Amino acid sequence: MTVRKASHAGSWYTDDGEQLDSELESWLGAVPATVDTLATTLEAESAALPMNGVRAIIGPHAGLSYSGATAAYAYRSINTSGIKRVFILGPSHHVYMRRCAFSQCTEYETPLGNMQVDREMISELQRKGRGAWESMGLAVDEDEHSLEMHLPFIYKIFEHQIDDIKLVPILVGNLSFEREQSFGALLAEYLESEENLFVVSSDFCHWGSRFRFTWYKESEDTGAVQLGKRAGPRETPIWKSIERLDYDGMRAITGLDHAGFRQYLDQTENTICGRHPIGVLLGAVSHLFPECPGNTDNGPQLRFVKYAQSSKVQEASDSSVSYASAYLYLPVKE
């Protein structure tokens, strides 16, 4: 038995189980029962939470004191009834990979209790995608935070059935568009199953000189520039320019437009660290619904329900990270 330690507990979030449980209760409890979806491709609409038919969520993976309140909106979207397995797709921050990698562990530790890894499902996927997958060693697994930061929320929402829940952690490498499509096709049948939930781990724009990204547009009609640290005050606040940049990306994601999202990334170079896990999700949806565009009454629907920034950047010397939460609803096929 190999247990992955909760290596970021005590730094990125508390390692005290009681305190962590209380924080999770607070964040989840603060989400209203009815939320307004963000006006990305459509007019804002109301959504009652939790929802039936949610097969996937997108949520942030920063330190919980920064992103926990935003992540809670994604987790409150989920009706946990009937779910037996949680796939977690997170980007690799420390190791360069051109494929996706499975954990070799049998359990993942959290301050709330350990969770079982579904070794049988991993073996099944390895057989179906022979040669497509890699394995990550324990050191790589424990260094990476994009998977771990979702475990407390996963444990919390499934706490009354936790012994019946298994994890499928997948570290997603720097994939080409074609490989995003390919891995999406491999995972599509599991996304479709009501027994599975997919958690897609991603922060949005990382802005500031420390991220080597200072993209700025005064308005929709002006060209983009990279601001120097000594750039003076701007008519449009920098944080508002960042928000518009993120919303443009969220618009492509909401439209379930995989190619459009990739084009947006190529054009803006927005520092969305989970771009490839999001791409795999979009690839899976396009495999399941090749003739059905998003946002139709009888098709798949992806909605963003929360957006936030770690700070409101006013000066070019400032920095921030953006967080967004979304859910993906899939209709039951006849």
Side-chain angles (χ1 to χ4, degrees):
M1 182 175 71
T2 304
V3 179
R4 182 202 181 277
K5 299 294 186 184
S7 52
H8 293 78
S11 53
W12 289 58
Y13 60 102
T14 180
D15 57 0
D16 183 297
E18 289 188 8
Q19 181 180 340
L20 179 59
D21 185 73
S22 177
E23 290 173 351
L24 294 166
E25 285 271 9
S26 177
W27 288 320
L28 291 165
V31 180
T34 302
V35 299
D36 290 332
T37 63
L38 304 187
T40 49
T41 58
L42 302 171
E43 294 296 321
E45 56 190 33
S46 293
L49 307 181
M51 293 185 59
N52 294 327
V54 169
R55 293 284 180 276
I57 61 169
I58 298 171
H61 55 237
L64 291 185
S65 63
Y66 293 99
S67 67
T70 299
Y73 276 72
Y75 282 95
R76 280 280 286 124
S77 302
I78 302 161
N79 182 339
T80 60
S81 301
I83 295 174
K84 298 179 180 179
R85 188 179 299 106
V86 181
F87 290 73
I88 317 174
L89 279 62
S92 176
H93 286 85
H94 307 295
V95 176
Y96 181 81
M97 305 186 308
R98 298 184 66 181
R99 294 183 289 175
C100 295
F102 289 122
S103 173
Q104 298 183 54
C105 295
T106 53
E107 291 185 14
Y108 269 28
E109 178 189 59
T110 85
L112 303 173
N114 289 9
M115 300 188 71
Q116 299 294 314
V117 174
D118 194 336
R119 300 307 315 173
E120 290 184 7
M121 175 57 65
I122 289 173
S123 295
E124 179 178 319
L125 285 164
Q126 287 173 326
R127 288 193 301 271
K128 288 187 175 182
R130 189 173 300 278
W133 306 93
E134 299 179 21
S135 293
M136 56 175 155
L138 183 60
V140 171
D141 204 340
E142 292 185 341
D143 283 346
E144 183 54 59
H145 64 275
S146 69
L147 304 173
E148 179 182 341
M149 297 308 297
H150 283 275
L151 298 179
F153 273 106
I154 293 170
Y155 193 102
K156 181 61 181 175
I157 67 169
F158 289 106
E159 61 182 346
H160 298 302
Q161 61 199 85
I162 197 64
D163 291 339
D164 299 323
I165 297 296
K166 291 187 176 182
L167 302 175
V168 183
I170 303 174
L171 193 62
V172 180
N174 186 21
L175 307 182
S176 65
F177 177 82
E178 291 73 21
R179 282 196 169 174
E180 289 176 355
Q181 288 276 336
S182 176
F183 279 106
L186 284 170
L187 293 171
E189 66 177 282
Y190 305 99
L191 177 65
E192 188 177 25
S193 170
E194 296 180 2
E195 292 187 349
N196 300 322
L197 170 71
F198 277 66
V199 172
V200 176
S201 179
S202 183
D203 295 332
F204 276 67
C205 183
H206 298 62
W207 198 96
S209 58
R210 69 191 183 101
F211 300 116
R212 299 179 183 176
F213 187 79
T214 55
W215 191 97
Y216 176 81
K217 282 182 74 172
E218 192 77 59
S219 71
E220 295 291 352
D221 301 323
T222 60
V225 298
Q226 294 285 340
L227 298 180
K229 277 188 176 182
R230 297 181 181 179
R234 299 279 154 167
E235 182 176 341
T236 299
I238 296 173
W239 68 265
K240 190 65 178 178
S241 172
I242 297 169
E243 180 181 85
R244 281 203 304 251
L245 173 65
D246 281 329
Y247 265 61
D248 285 344
M250 292 157 60
R251 190 169 296 115
I253 298 168
T254 301
L256 299 172
D257 185 357
H258 189 193
F261 180 55
R262 193 68 178 220
Q263 182 180 32
Y264 157 84
L265 292 169
D266 290 341
Q267 290 175 346
T268 66
E269 299 183 346
N270 192 6
T271 47
I272 300 174
C273 54
R275 61 180 65 191
H276 297 299
I278 293 171
V280 171
L281 177 68
L282 296 178
V285 175
S286 66
H287 184 83
L288 290 172
F289 299 90
E291 305 299 330
C292 186
N295 304 317
T296 59
D297 290 340
N298 59 350
Q301 297 178 2
L302 193 149
R303 299 288 186 269
F304 281 90
V305 288
K306 186 66 175 176
Y307 175 81
Q309 296 171 352
S310 60
S311 64
K312 298 290 188 184
V313 174
Q314 302 289 347
E315 305 290 339
S317 57
D318 295 340
S319 66
S320 75
V321 179
S322 304
Y323 313 122
S325 282
Y327 65 79
L328 171 68
Y329 160 83
L330 293 186
V332 177
K333 287 188 175 182
E334 298 296 334

